[in-house]
Amino acid sequence: MINIVAKAIHHTMEFGDFDIYVVQDDLKNEHVILTRGDIKKGQDILCRVSSECLPGTALFSAECDCKQEIEYSLKLIAKEDKGIFIYLRQEGRGHGLALKIRALANKNKGMDTFEAVECMGLPADAREYSIVKKIIDYFQIKSIRCLCNNPDKIRALRSEGIIISEIINIPVKATPYSLKHLCAKKKHGHVIKIED
């Protein structure tokens, strides 16, 4: 079971209105859910699971694709007028903000996004998705169409017992700063269509 600690209507500049929820996990970390339309007990519900990226989404980073992925996902959910967007507060692939910025310093030296973390003795990805299963169960969603480019995330969500009926890849535009990052992701199995 999840602990919903707040709920309101969220008016967006580009994508219309959503219901916004704040949910606490067992460690009292707060995560955000946006829903649109009647998703309760739904099947094949459009879903995006994003992890926090302060540099990319709030500080205009040219080095990552997080903001583009969020915008694409919310646009699709708005177009269908139904879906769920789950924003997990696990910055830096689960390592935290300070380590993410240390990894950025390593990227500044020429390392790719995976090497930059692994050289510090950390796993490339430490994210955890058990809360997502609890959120899906809370809304009694039977299956999702997952907006995702990362096969490891798909495997992790399925290992939690989430039924994914379709994977929808998200196209991204590269910048001179993000191209190496995107190519490293592709090398590690991510399915990314890089647009001109």
Side-chain angles (χ1 to χ4, degrees):
M1 198 61 166
I2 58 171
N3 182 23
I4 302 282
V5 295
K7 180 186 174 187
I9 297 171
H10 178 59
H11 305 288
T12 71
M13 298 285 285
E14 295 181 45
F15 312 110
D17 297 345
F18 293 82
D19 287 329
I20 185 169
Y21 302 77
V22 176
V23 58
Q24 281 184 344
D25 62 23
D26 295 338
L27 299 175
K28 304 294 184 191
N29 298 311
E30 294 179 336
H31 308 282
V32 176
I33 307 164
L34 296 178
T35 66
R36 179 78 158 261
D38 183 12
I39 62 168
K40 195 152 190 175
K41 299 183 181 179
Q43 193 165 312
D44 302 333
I45 298 295
L46 200 55
C47 176
R48 169 67 185 169
V49 178
S50 285
S51 292
E52 185 172 33
C53 177
L54 182 71
T57 58
L59 301 177
F60 311 104
S61 173
E63 296 191 39
C64 82
D65 47 325
C66 294
K67 188 168 187 175
Q68 290 183 61
E69 291 179 343
I70 290 172
E71 289 175 347
Y72 185 87
S73 300
L74 293 178
K75 185 177 180 180
L76 268 190
I77 291 170
K79 185 178 178 182
E80 290 200 6
D81 205 26
K82 183 186 284 191
I84 183 168
F85 176 86
I86 300 169
Y87 191 77
L88 302 177
R89 305 293 299 281
Q90 45 185 3
E91 180 75 60
R93 293 201 196 108
H95 300 112
L97 185 57
L99 285 171
K100 180 169 187 167
I101 301 307
R102 289 179 195 157
L104 177 59
N106 290 334
K107 287 170 69 176
N108 293 159
K109 296 172 188 171
M111 294 182 197
D112 75 29
T113 189
F114 296 93
E115 295 165 345
V117 174
E118 290 168 339
C119 78
M120 294 187 285
L122 300 168
D125 196 332
R127 288 176 291 186
E128 196 273 319
Y129 297 100
S130 60
I131 188 71
V132 178
K133 171 64 170 159
K134 293 176 182 176
I135 291 167
I136 295 296
D137 287 348
Y138 175 82
F139 290 102
Q140 300 174 38
I141 295 170
K142 296 178 176 67
S143 62
I144 63 170
R145 292 153 52 227
C146 193
L147 289 145
C148 185
N149 294 337
N150 182 351
D152 291 333
K153 184 189 289 186
I154 295 295
R155 280 190 287 274
L157 294 173
R158 283 182 167 149
S159 74
E160 294 293 339
I162 297 168
I163 297 171
I164 299 173
S165 58
E166 182 183 3
I167 300 164
I168 301 170
N169 297 124
I170 302 172
V172 294
K173 290 184 180 178
T175 72
Y177 298 100
S178 69
L179 186 58
K180 184 174 182 178
H181 171 75
L182 295 172
C183 288
K185 281 185 166 185
K186 286 184 82 166
K187 184 179 173 183
H188 281 77
H190 291 222
V191 182
I192 303 173
K193 180 185 175 191
I194 302 174
E195 296 185 332
D196 296 328

